[in-house]
């Protein structure tokens, strides 16, 4: 049952990019993008211009997360307008370059959609990362993907938190989509993780093709997990970590963590319990890259978002 | 080697006491169980020293590669755990030598010198792997009875932890790793754990493994006889690399889902090995069934190893005990009169 007046209109999503290697040791995205740069037939769709792109080639070459600074935190307004060219940290230079090619961020010339491919050591399965609860185009896409892969699951993480939100590579686009698949160690390529990411992208591109053909997507609801806060490891006076994620919590991404549940285990065997006031859903549990960012896991709460019907303008 | 003299059945082999033991962590700076465990043991040791407890054996705790640990990387310039060959330790060294080469000499001075009477009696070098290997002791010899008895002891004390003994058939002339610096030595390798992460179950297994090893050393030094038995030893036969693109040298396939995480489960000729990016299955073309391990170890991509393959053998382990003081003196006198 469609209604022309209540459908939100979006421009045709003609320019789409797929980013791999934003973190040079997250191998699924690096491998997929390299594959598609060589032979892009798998990612071609009618009326869509899909560009696969390695965002951090130096980090990829060294198989490291970043060279000077985390590229996926580098797209701040300050960095994007910074002067100094060759003196700037490598990733800041890269951010400016990416903003030139795929942006400018916030302008009408920016790419329509950017998929940014990531892996995590956390047991998150397939996760889509949303940056705005009002992006109905993205919500409809995520709803489409979830239905397409059912009974396999793909959860949606919403990071709209004013302080915890960060300036990602994909934020250059009008519709940024993060794709995080785990668990996979850094520097390792696991076939099941690789295939899962590939399948998600296939459905995402199918959605875009359908949308561009004029299909109307009726209003829908999407369950999301909204980021609340970051929880650090317990540390001593010198800042050294003194406890590990508790075995009960390890690998328990997306499962309820209740007040009083075990959370950390000190190196000498003492259990520390979750002291929050209510049940939360933890994720990014024990992600390798977050030790230095002071994050053992993030807490989320479950929410149902409504997306209006959408169709091409 | 002395340890491999054929022994009469039922005879107890007498070996020198292990008066100095080294436990090393952080040889690879991102293998975090060992890093955190040695840090904790160093803290605990400070407490013990304050209480002035007498240890029959002295235990040295060493953080082997502090610079790599600080950056949470495997190594800074070159893999430290390949820098302990006699050639590398004793050859010429320039001012611009890789950090790890300088460091290996420092460690050799501290724990060795390798091959000399002054070397520590036992080195236990702690490692993690991304491969699903459980707990493995890795040694250069399949007849070092100290290492094999430690393994048997760990098996008895930790029956819930999957445990294997891996033998790298490398002569002492060519041995290259930190554990080769001691008179006896082995690597304790535990996985699966991503690099840069500490998983509590893996940490706990390593902590227990080290504790039981040190308990065994104390028991051994106090004269306990350890009964004869058997150990299933996995001796490495070969490594298999990923299929690679001839021009770029990039890998063109991943470990097949039917092999992923199946370390130590027999691989038969024609079993699936790799899955190419276009979905094709590549199969194992060897003639004999072998045991895979280090399947999809992250650090081995650059070393050209997708997996290693081993043969399994039932090794007879004789009963052993520590030499008494009298036996040790007799041994030394005998040695002296040989010299005359």
């Amino acid at each position: 049952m469609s209604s022309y007046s209540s459908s939100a209109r979006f421009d045709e999503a003609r320019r789409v990019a797929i980013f791999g290697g934003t973190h040079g040791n997250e191998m699924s995205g690096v491998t997929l993008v390299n594959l598609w740069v060589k032979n892009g037939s798998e990612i071609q769709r009618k009326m869509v211009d899909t560009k696969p792109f390695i965002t951090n080639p130096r980090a990829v070459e060294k198989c490291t997360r970043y060279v000077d600074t985390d590229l996926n935190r580098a797209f701040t307004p300050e960095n994007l307008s910074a002067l100094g060219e060759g003196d700037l940290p490598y990733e800041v230079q890269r951010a400016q370059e990416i903003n030139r090619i795929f942006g400018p961020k916030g302008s009408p010339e920016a790419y329509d959609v950017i998929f940014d491919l990531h892996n995590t050591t956390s047991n998150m399965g397939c996760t889509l990362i949303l940056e705005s609860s009002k992006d109905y185009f993205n919500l409809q896409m995520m709803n489409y993907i979830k239905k397409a892969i059912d009974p396999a699951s793909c959860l949606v993480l919403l990071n709209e938190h004013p302080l915890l939100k960060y300036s990602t590579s994909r934020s250059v686009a009008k519709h940024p989509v993060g794709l995080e698949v785990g668990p996979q160690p850094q520097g390792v390529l696991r076939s099941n993780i690789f295939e899962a990411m590939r399948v998600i992208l296939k459905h995402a591109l199918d959605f875009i093709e359908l949308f561009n053909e004029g299909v109307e997507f009726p209003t829908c609801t999407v369950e999301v997990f909204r980021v609340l806060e970051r929880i650090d490891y317990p540390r001593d006076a010198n800042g050294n970590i003194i406890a590990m994620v508790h075995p009960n919590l390890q690998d328990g991404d997306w499962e309820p963590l209740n007040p009083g549940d075990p959370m950390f285990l000190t190196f000498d065997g003492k259990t520390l319990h979750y002291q929050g006031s209510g049940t939360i859903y933890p994720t990014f549990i024990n992600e390798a890259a977050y030790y230095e960012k002071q994050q053992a896991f993030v807490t989320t709460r479950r929410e149902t978002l409504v997306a209006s019907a959408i169709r091409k303008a | 080697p002395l340890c491999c003299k054929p022994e009469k059945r039922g005879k107890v082999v007498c070996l020198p006491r292990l008066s100095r033991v080294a436990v090393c962590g952080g040889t690879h700076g991102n293998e975090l169980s060992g890093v955190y465990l040695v840090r904790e043991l160093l803290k605990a040791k400070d407490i013990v020293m304050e209480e002035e407890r007498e240890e029959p054996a002295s235990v040295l705790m060493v953080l082997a590669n502090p610079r790599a640990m600080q950056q949470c990387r495997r190594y800074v310039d070159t893999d430290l755990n390949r820098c302990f060959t006699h050639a590398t330790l004793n050859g010429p060294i320039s001012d611009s030598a890789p950090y790890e080469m300088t460091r290996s000499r420092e460690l050799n001075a501290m724990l060795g010198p390798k091959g000399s009477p002054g070397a520590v009696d036992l080195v236990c070098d702690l490692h993690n792997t991304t491969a699903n290997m459980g707990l493995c002791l890795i040694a250069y010899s399949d007849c070092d009875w100290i290492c094999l008895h430690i393994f048997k002891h760990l098996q008895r004390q930790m029956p819930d932890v999957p445990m294997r003994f891996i033998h790298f058939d490398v002569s002492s002339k060519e041995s290259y790793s930190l554990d080769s610096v001691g008179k006896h030595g082995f690597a304790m390798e535990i996985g699966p754990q991503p690099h840069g992460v500490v998983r509590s179950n893996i940490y706990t297994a390593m902590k227990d493994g080290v504790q039981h090893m040190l308990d065994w050393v104390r028991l051994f030094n106090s004269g306990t006889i350890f009964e004869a038995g058997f150990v299933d030893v996995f001796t490495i036969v070969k490594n298999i690399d990923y299929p690679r693109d001839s021009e770029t040298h990039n890998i063109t396939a991943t470990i097949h889902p039917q092999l992923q995480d199946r370390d130590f489960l027999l691989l038969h000729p024609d079993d699936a090995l790799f899955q190419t990016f276009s979905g094709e299955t590549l199969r194992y073309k060897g003639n004999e069934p072998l045991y895979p391990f280090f399947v999809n170890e992250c650090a081995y991509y650059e070393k050209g190893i997708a997996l290693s393959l081993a043969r399994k053998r039932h090794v007879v382990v004789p009963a052993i005990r520590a030499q008494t003081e009298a036996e040790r003196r007799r041994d030394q006198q005998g040695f002296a009169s040989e010299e005359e």
Side-chain angles (χ1 to χ4, degrees):
Chain A
M1 197 180 65
S2 83
S3 162
Y4 276 90
S5 54
S6 65
S7 274
R9 301 306 180 95
F10 290 90
D11 288 335
E12 185 177 67
R14 178 167 284 283
R15 291 155 85 227
V16 173
I18 302 178
F19 285 176
T22 295
H23 297 133
N25 53 10
E26 294 177 14
M27 302 304 292
S28 305
V30 171
T31 307
L32 281 170
V33 166
N34 280 336
L35 216 65
W36 291 330
V37 164
K38 237 176 128 179
N39 180 351
S41 47
E42 192 180 333
I43 56 172
Q44 291 320 312
R45 297 289 188 279
K46 286 199 303 285
M47 298 162 58
V48 186
D49 203 347
T50 315
K51 189 180 168 96
F53 188 78
I54 295 284
T55 44
N56 197 339
R58 262 216 239 160
V60 168
E61 207 206 341
K62 297 169 99 172
C63 196
T64 187
R65 182 177 175 85
Y66 56 82
V67 173
D68 293 329
T69 185
D70 193 333
L71 180 62
N72 215 30
R73 304 290 184 277
F75 287 76
T76 60
E78 302 74 39
N79 278 350
L80 293 179
S81 57
L83 300 169
E85 292 188 22
D87 293 329
L88 295 169
Y90 172 71
E91 278 84 5
V92 174
Q93 293 179 44
R94 271 316 277 172
Q96 292 185 351
E97 178 68 10
I98 289 163
N99 195 40
R100 267 192 287 277
I101 302 172
F102 299 97
K105 177 167 167 172
S107 78
E109 291 81 46
Y111 261 58
D112 298 293
V113 186
I114 295 178
F115 297 102
D116 194 16
L117 306 183
H118 288 268
N119 291 119
T120 174
T121 57
S122 305
N123 187 28
M124 288 167 72
C126 293
T127 302
L128 293 162
I129 306 183
L130 185 62
E131 299 193 358
S132 161
S133 56
K134 303 284 187 290
D135 188 335
Y136 298 139
F137 178 88
N138 272 355
L139 275 168
Q140 288 280 2
M141 183 199 302
M142 293 179 183
N143 179 57
Y144 178 90
I145 292 169
K146 280 156 78 82
K147 297 228 154 48
I149 67 168
D150 187 65
S153 91
C154 184
L155 300 179
V156 178
L157 179 69
L158 170 65
N159 193 356
E160 213 174 26
H161 191 296
L163 296 173
L164 296 182
K165 191 175 170 139
Y166 46 83
S167 309
T168 56
S169 310
R170 57 187 178 266
S171 67
V172 167
K174 293 173 186 148
H175 303 290
V177 180
L179 179 43
E180 188 86 54
V181 185
Q184 180 173 268
Q186 296 171 342
V188 163
L189 189 65
R190 289 179 68 99
S191 57
N192 59 330
I193 302 290
F194 176 81
E195 288 302 323
M197 191 179 270
R198 202 175 194 172
V199 164
I200 303 265
L201 275 163
K202 172 201 138 40
H203 292 304
L205 292 171
D206 288 347
F207 169 85
I208 293 174
E209 186 177 46
L210 289 168
F211 175 82
N212 287 349
E213 281 173 353
V215 170
E216 185 189 25
F217 293 87
T219 186
C220 68
T221 60
V222 183
E223 186 183 65
V224 305
F225 290 82
R226 180 189 287 273
V227 170
L228 295 175
E229 63 175 332
R230 161 206 304 165
I231 306 285
D232 191 12
Y233 292 94
R235 292 172 190 268
D236 65 17
N238 298 321
N240 296 315
I241 289 174
I242 56 171
M244 316 168 273
V245 171
H246 194 278
N248 286 23
L249 177 59
Q250 177 69 55
D251 298 336
D253 300 67
W254 312 117
E255 281 161 42
L257 184 69
N258 306 300
D261 283 351
M263 189 171 56
F264 295 111
L265 182 67
T266 65
F267 292 120
D268 48 11
K270 197 168 126 228
T271 295
L272 306 172
H273 302 268
Y274 178 57
Q275 302 292 337
S277 52
T279 296
I280 51 90
Y281 295 82
T283 193
F284 274 123
I285 299 173
N286 209 352
E287 158 55 47
Y290 291 170
Y291 282 47
E292 72 173 18
K293 297 198 200 299
Q294 279 117 40
Q295 183 176 304
F297 62 96
V298 293
T299 63
T300 72
R301 72 158 177 262
R302 287 166 78 154
E303 249 177 61
T304 303
L305 297 183
V306 178
S308 72
I310 66 166
R311 68 186 281 147
K312 183 174 78 166
Chain B
L2 204 68
C3 65
C4 289
K5 285 201 301 213
E7 303 298 345
K8 278 206 298 255
R9 224 183 176 80
K11 184 171 169 174
V12 179
V13 174
C14 297
L15 297 168
R17 286 177 76 253
L18 305 169
S19 40
R20 292 167 71 225
V21 175
V23 176
C24 305
T27 300
H28 295 134
N30 55 5
E31 294 176 18
L32 293 193
S33 293
V35 168
Y36 282 105
L37 180 59
V38 169
R39 277 200 188 134
E40 287 301 304
L41 291 172
L42 282 165
K43 269 194 237 169
K45 192 168 192 241
D46 289 341
I47 298 168
V48 166
M49 302 276 278
E50 283 163 23
E51 293 170 358
E52 294 182 62
R53 193 149 62 107
E54 282 276 349
E55 292 281 318
S58 78
V59 183
L60 289 117
M61 310 294 179
V62 183
L63 289 169
N65 195 340
R67 262 206 231 167
M69 274 169 48
Q70 206 214 355
Q71 299 178 34
C72 199
R73 297 168 55 170
R74 181 178 177 85
Y75 56 80
V76 174
D77 294 326
T78 189
D79 192 334
L80 176 61
N81 216 27
R82 302 291 182 274
C83 288
F84 293 91
T85 59
H86 282 292
T88 307
L89 291 173
N90 302 305
I93 188 164
S94 73
D95 286 338
S96 57
Y99 165 71
E100 278 85 5
M101 277 186 58
T102 310
R103 184 61 185 150
S104 69
R105 285 162 186 244
E106 281 170 21
L107 290 162
N108 190 42
M110 198 193 301
L111 305 176
K114 174 169 170 171
S116 78
V120 298
D121 297 291
L122 178 64
V123 173
C124 171
D125 189 25
L126 304 176
H127 287 268
N128 290 119
T129 174
T130 57
N132 187 26
M133 285 167 66
L135 192 156
C136 290
L137 297 194
I138 306 179
Y140 289 110
S141 166
D142 59 357
C143 56
D144 183 327
W145 311 132
I146 297 284
C147 296
L148 285 159
H149 269 285
I150 288 173
F151 179 76
K152 284 169 64 55
H153 183 71
L154 257 50
Q155 279 186 311
R156 276 192 302 270
Q157 301 301 320
M158 300 168 67
D160 294 335
V161 176
M163 228 177 264
R164 282 99 181 183
F165 192 96
I166 299 176
H167 167 223
F168 270 56
D169 200 0
V170 170
S171 74
S172 53
K173 226 198 299 197
E174 283 153 30
S175 59
Y176 49 76
S177 53
L178 173 53
D179 53 283
S180 69
V181 172
K183 297 193 182 98
H184 305 273
F186 57 85
M188 183 183 292
E189 182 90 53
I190 311 190
Q193 181 175 271
H195 298 315
V197 160
V198 62
R199 287 181 66 95
S200 50
N201 61 328
I202 301 290
Y203 176 88
T204 301
M206 190 177 270
K207 180 177 174 182
D208 291 347
V210 168
Q211 189 55 57
H212 289 304
M213 177 206 52
L214 294 174
D215 289 346
W216 185 91
V217 169
R218 285 182 202 106
L219 287 168
F220 175 77
N221 285 343
S222 61
T224 308
I225 298 175
F226 292 95
E227 296 304 323
F230 303 90
V231 171
D232 280 333
V233 170
F234 292 87
T235 297
I236 187 169
V237 170
K238 63 183 172 187
N239 298 320
I240 299 185
D241 192 9
Y242 291 96
R244 291 174 186 273
D245 180 277
S246 48
E247 277 173 38
T248 63
H249 205 58
N250 290 331
I251 66 173
T252 55
T254 59
I255 296 286
H256 196 278
Q258 281 165 26
L259 175 58
Q260 179 68 56
D261 298 336
R262 294 171 67 84
D263 300 68
F264 298 109
L265 294 174
L266 201 54
L267 183 75
H268 299 92
D270 234 42
D271 279 352
L273 255 191
F274 299 111
Q275 187 172 72
T276 68
F277 300 142
S278 49
E280 196 197 330
T281 295
L282 304 176
R283 299 185 176 277
Y284 171 52
K285 290 302 170 204
N287 292 323
E288 69 175 298
L290 293 172
Y291 293 87
F293 65 100
F294 278 129
V295 175
N296 210 350
E297 159 54 48
C298 165
Y300 288 175
Y301 282 47
E302 71 174 17
K303 296 195 200 297
I305 299 171
L307 65 148
S308 299
L309 289 168
R311 256 179 226 121
K312 185 167 74 161
R313 270 165 52 237
H314 219 43
V315 169
V316 176
V317 180
I320 67 170
R321 64 167 173 82
Q323 277 179 340
T324 61
E325 190 53 30
E327 283 164 336
R328 190 192 63 80
R329 266 185 260 118
R330 260 202 311 272
D331 229 20
Q332 283 201 323
Q333 283 169 359
F335 184 70
S337 55
E338 269 171 40
E339 274 190 333
E340 280 161 19

